[in-house]
Amino acid sequence: MRHERTFKAQGARLVAGVDEVGRGALAGPVSVGIAVVDLERQRPLAGVKDSKLLSPAERERLDPLVRRWSVASAVGHASAQEIDSLGIIAALRLAGTRAWQDILAAGVTPDLVLLDGSHNWLSPAGQLSLFDEPVLEAGCGAPVHTKIKADMQCLSVAAASVIAKVERDKMMRQLHGEYPDFGWDINKGYATALHRDVLRAAGPTPYHRVSWRLLGGELLDGGLPGGDETAEDEAGIEN
């Protein structure tokens, strides 16, 4: 937690590490994990690193350990329909706000947020007009600090990535029971050849992000809209 401890000079004690999973998938929710650490009392937790660098068995083993180790932890989700309705950035904010509300409900108020990446998608958007319907009344009010590759360099963010990945993977395995042909138990909603072939033959399910031109444009060109997942995720490899 070397980077997290640099914030002690600013008077921070409770730091919320935040990471998202599922941003580049074609189906299923986008999920945001939060793991709060106490800079005065927390000791490192061995074995925790970016969830993409851990095997499924390692993630499953670490998930309960991370939840007990954290001062507070939560995972929030935004559905495919919400992604279609709001756009991916607003959906990320919605999922993150849901997780943030759970942290506050547990009686923990972080002093600041450490967010993986270069863009602060977590803080509430600009002032709504009189005609806009607020998605949630209260978003993250703490200062947000972004850091590229924080999930590989900051224990709090890596911890958040683990619990988010485990929870979303579990959801995708459950959805696989409804639509087994798509192979979501293996590809977790990412654009594998099997997933695309079944999508082409059977069409989208209610869990697909239909606004993403699933079988045209970016997908046929080999890319994924809206995501910054690793090449392994894009190939559907369960990492």
Side-chain angles (χ1 to χ4, degrees):
M1 295 192 296
R2 186 176 305 166
H3 184 69
E4 286 94 328
R5 290 194 175 101
T6 63
F7 295 108
K8 291 179 68 174
Q10 303 177 21
R13 176 169 179 173
L14 298 180
V15 173
V18 179
D19 200 11
E20 53 81 13
V21 297
R23 181 172 180 170
L26 302 184
V30 65
S31 305
V32 175
I34 300 179
V36 182
V37 297
D38 185 337
L39 300 182
E40 297 292 338
R41 304 178 59 183
Q42 213 90 7
R43 294 184 178 182
L45 181 61
V48 177
K49 52 187 173 182
D50 176 21
S51 62
K52 295 186 289 296
L53 303 178
L54 296 167
S55 70
E58 288 174 318
R59 291 195 297 264
E60 292 285 348
R61 179 185 68 83
L62 288 169
D63 179 70
L65 300 180
V66 166
R67 291 180 184 273
R68 288 196 297 267
W69 170 81
S70 304
V71 174
S73 63
V75 180
H77 310 277
S79 68
Q81 290 87 349
E82 288 169 330
I83 294 170
D84 286 336
S85 174
L86 302 171
I88 187 61
I89 297 301
L92 280 168
R93 184 179 301 114
L94 176 59
T97 298
R98 286 169 172 161
W100 183 260
Q101 297 277 8
D102 287 345
I103 296 293
L104 298 182
V108 175
T109 303
D111 297 310
L112 62 84
V113 170
L114 182 55
L115 177 63
D116 181 53
S118 59
H119 171 60
N120 175 14
W121 44 258
L122 180 61
S123 295
Q127 183 67 39
L128 297 173
S129 75
L130 295 177
F131 303 101
D132 288 328
E133 290 290 334
V135 176
L136 287 174
E137 290 186 1
C140 172
V144 174
H145 297 260
T146 60
K147 182 174 177 62
I148 297 173
K149 300 298 182 184
D151 52 0
M152 296 185 181
Q153 303 174 42
C154 303
L155 184 56
S156 63
V157 179
S161 77
V162 168
I163 62 173
K165 177 69 171 166
V166 169
E167 192 162 314
R168 184 182 184 277
D169 282 0
K170 181 180 179 180
M171 294 175 69
M172 294 309 297
R173 289 193 297 269
Q174 292 171 341
L175 295 180
H176 170 76
E178 294 186 46
Y179 296 94
D181 292 343
F182 290 91
W184 291 340
D185 58 331
I186 301 299
N187 63 51
K188 306 303 187 294
Y190 288 97
T192 61
L194 170 65
H195 189 169
R196 289 179 291 181
D197 287 345
V198 177
L199 183 59
R200 189 174 289 108
T205 71
Y207 303 109
H208 278 97
R209 304 170 187 181
V210 294
S211 63
W212 284 18
R213 298 172 61 210
L214 297 175
L215 290 174
E218 299 92 339
L219 182 56
L220 292 181
D221 290 338
L224 287 174
D228 60 356
E229 307 292 337
T230 64
E232 288 83 6
D233 274 338
E234 291 176 359
I237 297 172
E238 185 181 359
N239 53 19

